[in-house]
């Protein structure tokens, strides 16, 4: 259930837009990230960063900041579906959006949502309990484009009392998205949340927050065993008794209608818990949970891409490449968070999938004539899987990227040689931050679209 949190007033919000906070956000941005309609990349903005951040802070506090139109990027969803429209902000706007996200998470801790792997564990346990015989899969049609601004802003105001932040939120919702060469209509958007922004998922989760609460905690007057409910973006999973399925679906439709949303008629289905089914990158077959075949193929393609990029000289020297490859295989922890495929694959009950991936790594090494440098070894999916399952708290096999300055220097010296000894602490920190950013980006690269 939603927990009461303190309200976010102006003085609280201003903290997230201090020069120090904005500077930290800018430093953490990926220099190779997609650019907005102004085509300015990090190196370009860095030339006038002090003035830019002061101007951003002034406009945000004075409630005069306006976002530049977002650049439209179309993401294919296959031959049978319309592409997903992503909105790419300018670098200046991205700094503001990251600060907004931090403020939203302070006011709405629920905005981060539930990790996919945790949903998988809970669904599998609920099926095995034998309490439910029916799976109800509900898809919300055109979820992001259908979100009503008035209802979302009303929900935001329940905890956000800082007018400067509400001004920014309203402005980001209304900013249009269009191709870089075609400004199109300058008319402000009146419905929907742009997809692909740092705040997109958080805003969508906040919009659905009260409905999630209501459906997670069934009506105490409901005269059956109740049900179990999970939502990941626009995909809802409910376990219930067959006799209750229509009632639960009716409740979901009613809640969605209140929010101005519609249940997708052809993608909403019920089936027996004894039948095979797929959900969120997993599949349930004969009472066992495993990673979906096409999800495995996505990781295979991604690993092959890493070797191909290294062959073109795009992933550093041999030691840095192997460090990044090993992090991709095992996953990493950083700032008390887990990143990477292995934490997703760690829920599989079919270890043969991991043996297959280890064999693939050996095949790719032979194809690209790669061998581990002296003093380093290629890590294994199977070993990492067992470390995650049974020894995560004490393992040294899964790298932790939180390091002291001395540890940063030691690692970078191992990867790049004695030249690191001549670097200042700020140079070492910048170099290590870039490496960490790349590792986390690669670890999460293909986990964005699992439903």
């Amino acid at each position: 259930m939603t927990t009461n949190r303190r309200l976010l007033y102006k003085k609280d919000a201003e903290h997230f837009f201090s020069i120090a906070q904005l500077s930290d956000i800018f430093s953490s941005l990926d220099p190779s990230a997609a650019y907005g309609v102004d085509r300015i990349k990090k190196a370009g903005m860095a030339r006038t960063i002090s003035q830019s951040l002061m101007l951003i802070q002034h406009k945000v506090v004075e409630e005069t900041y306006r976002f530049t139109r977002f650049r439209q990027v179309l993401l294919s969803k296959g031959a049978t579906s319309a592409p997903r429209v992503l909105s790419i902000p300018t670098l200046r706007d991205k700094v503001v959006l990251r600060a907004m996200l931090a403020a939203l998470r302070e006011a709405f801790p629920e905005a981060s949502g539930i990790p996919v792997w945790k949903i998988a564990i809970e669904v599998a346990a609920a099926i095995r309990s034998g309490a439910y015989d029916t799976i109800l899969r509900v898809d919300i049609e055109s979820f992001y484009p259908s979100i009503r601004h008035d209802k979302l802003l009303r929900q935001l105001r329940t905890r956000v009392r800082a007018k400067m932040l509400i001004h920014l939120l309203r402005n980001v919702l209304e900013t249009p998205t269009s191709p870089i060469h075609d400004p199109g209509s300058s008319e402000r958007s009146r419905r929907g949340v742009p997809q692909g922004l740092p705040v997109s998922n958080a805003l969508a989760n906040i919009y659905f927050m009260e409905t999630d609460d209501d459906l997670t905690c069934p009506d105490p007057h409901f005269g059956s065993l109740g049900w179990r409910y999970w939502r990941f973006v626009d995909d809802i999973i409910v376990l219930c008794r067959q006799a209750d399925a229509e009632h639960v679906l009716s409740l979901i439709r009613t809640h969605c209608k209140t929010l101005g949303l519609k249940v997708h008629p052809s993608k909403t289905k019920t089936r027996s818990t004894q039948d095979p089914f797929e959900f969120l990158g997993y599949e349930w077959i004969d009472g066992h949970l495993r990673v979906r075949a096409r999800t495995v193929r996505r990781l295979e393609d991604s690993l092959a891409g890493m070797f191909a990029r290294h062959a073109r000289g795009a992933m550093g020297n041999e030691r840095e490449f192997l460090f990044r490859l090993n992090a991709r295989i095992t996953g990493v922890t950083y700032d008390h968070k887990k990143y990477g495929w292995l934490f997703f694959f760690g829920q599989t009950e079919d270890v043969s999938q991991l043996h297959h991936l280890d064999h693939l790594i050996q095949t790719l090494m032979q194809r690209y004539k790669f061998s581990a440098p002296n003093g380093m070894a290629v890590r294994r999916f199977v070993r990492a899987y067992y470390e995650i399952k049974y020894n995560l708290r004490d393992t040294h096999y899964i790298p932790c990227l939180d390091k002291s300055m001395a540890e940063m220097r030691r690692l970078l010296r191992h990867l790049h040689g004695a030249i690191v000894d001549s670097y200042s602490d700020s140079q070492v920190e910048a170099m290590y931050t870039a490496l960490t950013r790349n590792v986390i980006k690669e670890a999460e690269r293909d986990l964005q679209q699992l439903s």
Side-chain angles (χ1 to χ4, degrees):
M1 294 183 65
T2 301
T3 303
N4 290 328
R5 303 285 172 175
R6 68 182 180 86
L7 302 178
L8 195 72
Y9 291 98
K10 182 178 180 180
K11 65 179 183 344
D12 305 307
E14 285 179 345
H15 162 75
F16 295 99
F17 295 91
S18 68
I19 296 298
Q21 293 291 325
L22 296 176
S23 180
D24 286 346
I25 291 170
F26 177 77
S27 297
S28 70
L29 294 180
D30 184 353
S32 63
Y35 51 79
V37 295
D38 62 359
R39 300 177 182 272
I40 295 176
K41 289 201 151 189
K42 187 173 182 179
M45 187 173 172
R47 298 187 188 103
T48 58
I49 188 61
S50 296
Q51 300 94 308
S52 296
L53 295 184
M54 285 191 290
L55 185 60
I56 287 173
Q57 184 193 46
H58 174 75
K59 288 189 172 183
V60 167
V61 173
E62 294 299 316
E63 300 175 28
T64 59
Y65 189 93
R66 288 177 69 86
F67 292 90
T68 305
R69 68 181 173 92
F70 303 128
R71 179 166 74 92
Q72 180 188 91
V73 172
L74 300 180
L75 183 65
S76 174
K77 295 174 63 180
T80 60
S81 301
R84 179 179 283 116
V85 177
L86 297 183
S87 300
I88 308 300
T90 64
L91 201 62
R92 179 197 71 152
D93 288 345
K94 188 177 289 187
V95 171
V96 176
L97 289 162
R98 291 277 183 89
M100 289 172 62
L101 178 60
L104 285 174
R105 286 176 171 168
E106 176 75 11
F108 297 91
E110 312 92 327
S112 296
I114 304 174
V116 173
W117 58 266
K118 185 175 182 181
I119 294 176
I121 292 174
E122 293 180 358
V123 169
I127 292 175
R128 290 197 181 100
S129 73
Y132 312 100
D133 60 14
T134 299
I135 300 165
L136 172 61
R137 292 290 304 278
V138 179
D139 183 271
I140 303 172
E141 190 171 2
S142 300
F143 180 36
Y144 282 91
S146 300
I147 292 174
R148 287 180 49 174
H149 293 180
D150 59 336
K151 290 182 177 291
L152 176 56
L153 288 168
R154 191 177 303 127
Q155 181 74 289
L156 290 164
R157 288 191 185 99
T158 62
R159 301 190 193 177
V160 177
R161 301 301 168 86
K163 290 183 179 180
M164 54 178 275
L165 189 54
I166 293 296
H167 166 80
L168 286 176
L169 290 163
R170 181 187 293 109
N171 194 258
V172 76
L173 293 173
E174 295 179 354
T175 299
T177 297
S178 59
I180 192 167
H181 296 298
D182 179 17
S185 172
S186 59
E187 183 178 349
R188 310 292 283 178
S189 174
R190 298 302 174 193
R191 194 181 186 101
V193 169
Q195 294 185 66
L197 304 179
V199 296
S200 298
N201 289 347
L203 291 173
N205 284 333
I206 291 168
Y207 189 68
F208 222 84
M209 187 173 63
E210 290 184 356
T211 293
D212 286 336
D213 276 356
D214 289 344
L215 294 172
T216 299
C217 305
D219 186 338
H221 301 295
F222 188 64
S224 184
L225 289 171
W227 59 85
R228 294 292 305 279
Y229 164 96
W230 300 267
R231 181 185 60 83
F232 184 78
V233 191
D234 57 356
D235 197 346
I236 293 172
I237 303 168
V238 176
L239 292 182
C240 60
R241 305 296 297 177
Q242 184 178 11
D244 304 327
E246 193 56 43
H247 172 77
V248 177
L249 179 56
S250 177
L251 285 176
I252 292 173
R253 284 197 178 107
T254 299
H255 277 283
C256 285
K257 185 177 181 180
T258 301
L259 292 172
L261 304 172
K262 182 181 178 182
V263 170
H264 199 298
S266 63
K267 293 184 179 180
T268 295
K269 301 174 182 178
T270 60
R271 66 180 67 210
S272 168
T273 54
Q274 302 304 310
D275 295 336
F277 72 98
E278 295 184 349
F279 68 108
L280 306 180
Y282 295 96
E283 56 189 12
W284 178 264
I285 300 177
D286 296 329
H288 295 286
L289 185 70
R290 67 198 304 270
V291 177
R292 187 172 62 180
R294 63 178 177 270
T295 307
V296 177
R297 286 195 296 272
R298 187 181 301 146
L299 177 54
E300 293 171 352
D301 292 343
S302 189
L303 290 168
M306 285 188 74
F307 276 89
R309 292 197 303 278
H310 176 59
R312 298 194 300 269
M315 295 198 69
N317 63 30
E318 301 283 290
R319 287 180 173 274
E320 181 177 345
F321 169 67
L322 184 52
F323 177 81
R324 290 165 67 172
L325 176 65
N326 280 339
R328 194 69 187 281
I329 291 170
T330 64
V332 299
T333 61
Y334 179 68
D335 194 23
H336 308 293
K337 297 178 182 177
K338 304 178 181 68
Y339 296 93
W341 275 98
L342 239 293
F343 294 102
F344 179 82
F345 270 79
Q347 314 317 316
T348 187
E349 295 168 353
D350 181 1
V351 183
S352 69
Q353 293 184 307
L354 302 167
H355 284 288
H356 166 76
L357 291 169
D358 281 329
H359 178 71
L360 172 68
I361 293 293
Q362 294 302 313
T363 300
L364 290 169
M365 289 176 66
Q366 293 172 12
R367 180 186 303 167
Y368 288 94
K369 297 180 173 57
F370 176 82
S371 57
N374 289 337
M376 299 184 74
V378 179
R379 302 212 167 173
R380 299 181 65 245
F381 281 94
V382 172
R383 165 77 184 276
Y385 169 81
Y386 284 110
E387 291 288 334
I388 287 171
K389 294 286 281 188
Y390 303 111
N391 192 38
L392 182 58
R393 178 172 296 182
D394 299 319
T395 185
H396 296 290
Y397 201 70
I398 315 296
C400 174
L401 300 183
D402 295 295
K403 295 186 181 297
S404 65
M405 178 56 64
E407 291 169 329
M408 291 181 200
R409 283 188 177 277
R410 192 156 47 245
L411 173 62
L412 292 176
R413 193 180 198 281
H414 175 67
L415 298 181
H416 299 286
I419 189 173
V420 175
D421 295 342
S422 64
Y423 292 174
S424 66
D425 284 355
S426 60
Q427 288 175 310
V428 167
E429 186 172 9
M431 191 174 182
Y432 182 77
T433 298
L435 175 65
T436 301
R437 181 179 56 242
N438 284 332
V439 165
I440 291 175
K441 181 179 177 181
E442 287 153 5
E444 297 290 280
R445 186 183 300 275
D446 303 308
L447 286 175
Q448 305 303 313
Q449 302 170 49
L450 294 171
S451 60

